[in-house]
Amino acid sequence: MVTADWPGVDPEWSREIDVASTSAADEPGTVRRWHLLDNGAQLDRRGLTPAGTLLCVHGNPTWSYLWRSLLAAGSDPAHPWRVVAVDQLDMGFSERTGTFRRLEDRINDLGDLTAALGLDGPVVTVGHDWGGVISLGWAEAHPQQLAGVVLTNTAVHQPAGTPIPPALRLALHPAVHRWGTTTSDAFLRVTHALAHPPLAADVRRAFMAPYRGAGRRAGVGHFVADIPADASHPSFPALTRVAEGLRGLRTPALMLWGPRDPIFSDRYLKDLIGRLPDAKVHRFEGAGHLVAEDRDIAAPVFEWLAECVRANGDGLQRTAAPAVRSAGGPAAHPPLDYGSGPLEPGTGIPPLWAPLTELAAGPAAGDTAVAEMGTDGSVARSLSWRELEQNIAALAAGLQEAGVGNGSRVSLMVPPGVDLTVVLYACLRLGAVVVVADAGLGTRGLSRAVQGATPDFLIGIGRALAAAAVLGWSGRRISVRDLPAARRRLLAVETSLAALARRGAGLSPELPCPGPAPVPDPDAPAAVLFTSGSTGPAKGVLYTHRQLAAMRDTVAETLGIAPGARLVAGFAPFALLGPALGAVSVTPAMDVTVPRTLSASALADAAAAIDATVIFASPAALRNVLATRAGLSRAGYDALGRVELLLSAGAPVPEALLAEVQRLLPRASLHTPYGMTEALPVTDISLEQIRAAGADAAAGTVAGAGNGVCVGRPVHGARAAIIPLAADGTAPGNEPVTEAGVTGEILVSAPHVKDTYDRLWLTQRESVRTAGWHRTGDVGHLDAAGRLWVEGRLVHVVTAPGAVVTPVGAEQAIERLDDVGMAAVVGVGPSGTQAVVAVVETVPPVRRAGPAEPQLAGRVRDAARAAGVSVSAVLAVPSQPTDIRHNAKIDRSRLSRWATAVLAGGRPGTP
């Protein structure tokens, strides 16, 4: 052993120990020599008392080197922990025993080792791959020493009727197994190639070091051969015992996962979560099987350990009681009085569907509740309130018989309209968790979202089911309409919503219309919605029933939308919220996931169909409405002229755009609520208030007015505050301020803020690190009138020499130029010395992207200078890269990379 050839390893950690074996694989009295990486002696020499011991167990074909980052972190005097990283027998630099050691033997081996080491506890096990199973077997056998478990990409159960992963099937094939795992080093090289990014050459050599020569690789082959592919395998009983034992484990657990893993996919993570439901879980998007190499796992492990210690007072308990959620849930808000109506148990909150139920029982029962438009301008389909209630009840009964129940995850891949409304409310009534990931995420983003959510059921239209079949999305598949038998078999579809509704109606021939129905726990999960992915992979955002109801009531209170309102929903969230508000809702003829497909005539037809009083449409949709208004008929103008309220959100809405819309909707009050997937809405502002704010900024009469988009004052029940920016462009503080003119990260607090990020423990932890607040990742400031001004995203702040530049103020100034459409201000170069670069979309579009012509560049610099920003370079593009969902959020990070390449002399290409 040459420890100098192991990058990241302190030679002092490497040691060997002789251990008496009690394994059935060995003769009585056998002693085996183990190799460890152990920082215990180092801590003793430094006079440091560890808080406990991390017992780290590698899988196949790695060794204790995998855990070097934990050893380094555990040696830090700020948080000393003894870290014992083992080389399992026949692996790493431990003894080659010449025996075939099965799972049961390896669990016993680990127990022999810890007895020889005298590990008394508290012990936290850490496992990867098959080392995860072995570490859990040890944990279950040593409850008095156990204080916690950490798992990375492992599995304890193979679902019945499903084959093991293809890579393992290949490795087990008789024609491949011995050559692939032992005779050659192919299995090691394939495993190392799973790292994202690729392993550095010296790290790859270190991982190969213990396995040079076929005689050193017998354990690799034995490990593969010991995979219980089915119930007949000798190690299947041991694996089953470990898997079932997890259900009784009462100790803190952390799971750190790389979803880009061809071996242990998200379905294995889902199984583990089912067995350890209180575990903290974080999926590192983009990381794979070797997650400990792909990402820094030491920081989250030690942050979690610190949380566990704090939760237990002065030390880490060896036996933790099961987590109990308080009746009030996680929200730090007092109970609110939501008025009368059917109440969720133990609360004053009517369930989300209460207005729908009341209308179905009242005098308006026969009136239209929900409708969808056809491409010919007529109503293609509609349901009355009574019919909607009956359809929901029938489908809920059918879904329940099919296995959908409390806590089931149901992915809904159905366009907004009648079908989506019915299935959404049916699922919510059953206590199922609806997963809503739309095509606006793009194919890749949508696939990531669905795979990460691991739904139990996937309900979709034909295109969605075809994608599920091709991309291997999890979940039992249900079509919207009845399908021909051949197509049903091809797509592995079990049934249809239509069939389930028929079955449900037969189960309940006398459907209540409406009657009292059991409602879910208000603090139970209700929905997983996804962010747009405009600043990174889309994040799943989990809402409880309480928070969805609070969202409904906030919208109603802030915007005055009461039962009887008539809503044209050109934006998916409001297509679903309409029935909860008691509002008649119609979906116009458009692709709701591509807002710019909404035409003026389609909007007018929808408005005329229900004599609409409210319209909700994104800025991109409004732009296309204005661009196509020449095709409007007199009846269309009249229908739009009767609208009383327009809501537009999803991206900043320029005042000039609203002014044009006002001419099309002369009676409407135009509002642009500000919010995010995690909290919608947060603030609200009308066109008149936008103009007043602009006048205040121009006159300088209100402190803090100007530099950004004014999004108004917090809505009913919400608060906003700021964490000031530091000189490096971050917001490291934890003390919220509300003083006028202080720029920093925007914080919000409201009853309708999300419950948590789904399986993103680190992201959630960061978002709530300021107690009682959600950190939005947006930057802005408050003015003296209590209005919020948004200046951009925290990740897009430019750190120029001697200045921190937020982009939106300068972008607004540049966009006022006649020959500029959308503008983006980005930073190029190292943090602290970045050059400020303006990238402009020209009108008309330039033929090729690249440096702007001198006259345009001069005007752009002058406009930015008037906003207080000095621009170093100006680049022009035919069109800005925007997100798919809103067609409006510019990908500034992508533009920054492109601008860096262009200014370094590279070919411009397309950003």
Side-chain angles (χ1 to χ4, degrees):
M1 292 183 293
V2 184
T3 56
D5 294 336
W6 305 344
V9 171
D10 187 325
E12 189 176 358
W13 299 338
S14 180
R15 61 175 290 204
E16 293 183 321
I17 181 173
D18 290 331
V19 177
S21 173
T22 64
S23 170
D26 291 324
E27 295 295 328
T30 301
V31 174
R32 297 298 187 188
R33 172 150 287 205
W34 290 68
H35 173 256
L36 317 172
L37 294 179
D38 180 0
N39 68 347
Q42 187 178 74
L43 294 178
D44 289 343
R45 180 175 55 77
R46 295 176 179 176
L48 298 173
T49 302
T53 299
L54 294 182
L55 178 61
C56 304
V57 188
H58 67 85
N60 187 33
T62 57
W63 56 288
S64 56
Y65 183 67
L66 182 72
W67 307 115
R68 63 196 181 281
S69 67
L70 296 183
L71 283 145
S75 303
D76 188 333
H79 43 69
W81 276 76
R82 184 181 181 185
V83 181
V84 177
V86 309
D87 282 359
Q88 298 193 60
L89 293 175
D90 298 313
M91 302 293 287
F93 288 99
S94 286
E95 179 182 343
R96 276 15 183 202
T97 68
T99 64
F100 192 117
R101 310 187 86 80
R102 295 203 178 275
L103 175 60
E104 188 70 44
D105 299 317
R106 293 195 175 279
I107 294 171
N108 288 337
D109 288 342
L110 190 58
D112 292 340
L113 172 65
T114 58
L117 290 170
L119 291 189
D120 182 40
V123 176
V124 174
T125 61
V126 185
H128 172 253
D129 191 85
W130 287 106
V133 183
I134 294 162
S135 70
L136 290 171
W138 184 94
E140 292 170 10
H142 298 79
Q144 298 309 309
Q145 294 157 264
L146 185 68
V149 299
V150 178
L151 299 172
T152 65
N153 286 59
T154 186
V156 297
H157 174 68
Q158 182 65 35
T162 61
I164 62 174
L168 294 182
R169 292 205 301 274
L170 177 63
L172 281 167
H173 194 281
V176 174
H177 176 254
R178 182 170 178 78
W179 175 87
T181 62
T182 307
T183 305
S184 77
D185 60 6
F187 191 77
L188 284 100
R189 293 186 180 280
V190 169
T191 301
H192 299 162
L194 298 177
H196 307 287
L199 297 176
D202 55 351
V203 171
R204 192 167 59 251
R205 285 193 296 269
F207 272 116
M208 293 289 287
Y211 301 109
R212 299 201 179 278
R216 303 279 304 168
R217 294 193 287 266
V220 175
H222 291 168
F223 245 123
V224 173
D226 197 42
I227 296 170
D230 54 48
S232 66
H233 192 280
S235 286
F236 186 82
L239 181 64
T240 301
R241 188 170 62 253
V242 171
E244 293 309 309
L246 280 186
R247 301 189 190 279
L249 204 62
R250 294 293 182 263
T251 189
L254 173 67
M255 301 181 199
L256 301 176
W257 208 264
R260 196 175 170 185
D261 187 347
I263 311 299
F264 299 118
S265 63
D266 279 299
R267 73 176 180 183
Y268 295 105
L269 174 62
K270 181 183 180 69
D271 175 74
L272 286 166
I273 292 172
R275 297 170 192 276
L276 294 169
D278 295 317
K280 307 296 185 186
V281 180
H282 189 87
R283 297 172 70 257
F284 291 96
E285 198 63 63
H289 181 69
L290 296 175
V291 64
E293 297 297 320
D294 296 351
R295 298 293 186 270
D296 172 17
I297 69 162
V301 166
F302 280 86
E303 288 171 12
W304 173 76
L305 289 171
E307 279 192 6
C308 292
V309 170
R310 286 194 298 270
N312 290 295
D314 59 356
L316 190 63
Q317 292 183 357
R318 300 187 191 185
T319 303
V324 178
R325 193 172 193 173
S326 65
H333 303 281
L336 301 178
D337 181 6
Y338 284 80
S340 61
L343 303 182
E344 299 197 11
T347 75
I349 306 175
L352 189 68
W353 54 88
L356 183 163
T357 302
E358 292 173 4
L359 285 164
D367 295 345
T368 298
V370 59
E372 56 189 61
M373 302 299 295
T375 54
D376 63 354
S378 64
V379 175
R381 199 168 163 213
S382 68
L383 294 176
S384 69
W385 291 107
R386 180 185 295 109
E387 291 167 335
L388 179 58
E389 173 67 23
Q390 290 175 335
N391 284 16
I392 291 170
L395 183 57
L399 286 168
Q400 188 172 44
E401 190 187 42
V404 177
N406 191 49
S408 298
R409 288 197 166 203
V410 183
S411 178
L412 302 181
M413 309 193 80
V414 183
V418 173
D419 290 322
L420 181 57
T421 301
V422 172
V423 69
L424 174 84
Y425 285 93
C427 288
L428 290 176
R429 288 193 185 187
L430 292 173
V433 182
V434 294
V435 177
V436 184
D438 62 76
L441 299 177
T443 302
R444 187 177 175 186
L446 179 61
S447 189
R448 275 198 305 252
V450 175
Q451 289 173 331
T454 56
D456 302 292
F457 296 85
L458 191 150
I459 301 174
I461 57 174
R463 289 197 308 274
L465 295 170
V470 171
L471 299 172
W473 296 342
S474 67
R476 295 166 56 188
R477 295 173 197 160
I478 299 174
S479 61
V480 175
R481 301 274 180 269
D482 294 329
L483 297 178
R487 184 164 176 77
R488 194 168 63 245
R489 287 192 298 270
L490 179 66
L491 299 178
V493 170
E494 294 185 16
T495 185
S496 68
L497 292 184
L500 290 173
R502 290 192 297 270
R503 175 64 179 159
L507 290 170
S508 304
E510 298 297 329
L511 287 173
C513 185
V519 293
D521 179 347
D523 294 313
V528 176
L529 313 178
F530 283 86
T531 61
S532 67
S534 59
T535 55
K539 298 182 288 290
V541 178
L542 191 145
Y543 277 89
T544 65
H545 289 270
R546 181 191 303 274
Q547 289 152 352
L548 289 181
M551 182 193 299
R552 169 201 63 199
D553 295 315
T554 297
V555 169
E557 180 70 25
T558 301
L559 300 169
I561 301 177
R566 298 178 296 281
L567 169 68
V568 177
F571 191 53
F574 274 73
L576 303 178
L577 201 55
L581 292 165
V584 179
S585 55
V586 61
T587 306
M590 65 176 294
D591 183 346
V592 178
T593 64
V594 185
R596 60 171 174 251
T597 60
L598 178 62
S599 68
S601 58
L603 180 64
D605 289 340
I610 60 169
D611 196 16
T613 58
V614 183
I615 290 175
F616 193 105
S618 73
L622 292 179
R623 286 191 178 93
N624 196 56
V625 166
L626 292 172
T628 57
R629 58 188 159 181
L632 273 178
S633 65
R634 172 47 54 193
Y637 275 106
D638 291 343
L640 296 177
R642 293 190 293 271
V643 172
E644 299 169 5
L645 175 66
L646 172 97
L647 309 172
S648 187
V653 188
E655 179 187 339
L657 176 63
L658 288 175
E660 282 194 72
V661 172
Q662 185 73 85
R663 287 191 283 273
L664 192 60
L665 282 69
R667 291 184 54 198
S669 177
L670 310 187
H671 287 248
T672 62
Y674 159 72
M676 56 219 66
T677 308
E678 297 88 339
L680 182 69
V682 172
T683 66
D684 179 55
I685 191 169
S686 67
L687 175 58
E688 293 76 16
Q689 291 166 336
I690 290 171
R691 288 169 170 161
D696 289 342
T701 54
V702 176
N707 189 32
V709 176
C710 184
V711 294
R713 296 179 177 84
V715 297
H716 173 73
R719 295 181 296 151
I722 303 294
I723 295 290
L725 288 182
D728 63 355
T730 64
N734 254 338
E735 295 297 325
V737 301
T738 55
E739 286 89 342
V742 176
T743 293
E745 184 177 7
I746 298 170
L747 274 59
V748 301
S749 176
H752 57 281
V753 171
K754 57 100 172 96
D755 185 62
T756 188
Y757 286 109
D758 190 44
R759 300 173 185 176
L760 292 170
W761 172 68
L762 288 172
T763 308
Q764 172 64 12
R765 191 172 182 273
E766 173 62 20
S767 76
V768 297
R769 67 181 171 91
T770 304
W773 296 89
H774 167 69
R775 300 183 69 127
T776 67
D778 288 343
V779 290
H781 65 275
L782 294 163
D783 68 17
R787 297 173 298 206
L788 180 64
W789 296 72
V790 177
E791 302 178 48
R793 293 284 294 171
L794 191 60
V795 294
H796 297 149
V797 169
V798 180
T799 53
V804 174
V805 178
T806 55
V808 170
E811 290 170 352
Q812 285 183 304
I814 295 168
E815 287 173 353
R816 294 189 189 104
L817 298 174
D818 291 340
D819 47 356
V820 172
M822 300 174 74
V825 168
V826 299
V828 169
S831 178
T833 60
Q834 288 184 313
V836 180
V837 177
V839 182
V840 298
E841 177 182 295
T842 60
V843 180
V846 294
R847 294 183 61 187
R848 293 181 181 176
E853 57 92 15
Q855 288 186 335
L856 173 61
R859 292 197 301 276
V860 168
R861 285 191 175 93
D862 289 344
R865 191 178 301 113
V869 175
S870 177
V871 169
S872 299
V874 181
L875 303 177
V877 294
S879 62
Q880 298 280 18
T882 59
D883 68 303
I884 300 172
R885 179 184 289 176
H886 301 292
N887 304 136
K889 294 183 178 180
I890 297 174
D891 189 341
R892 291 175 178 81
S893 298
R894 178 175 163 185
L895 278 181
S896 177
R897 294 190 297 270
W898 173 77
T900 299
V902 171
L903 295 176
R907 295 181 61 184
T910 302

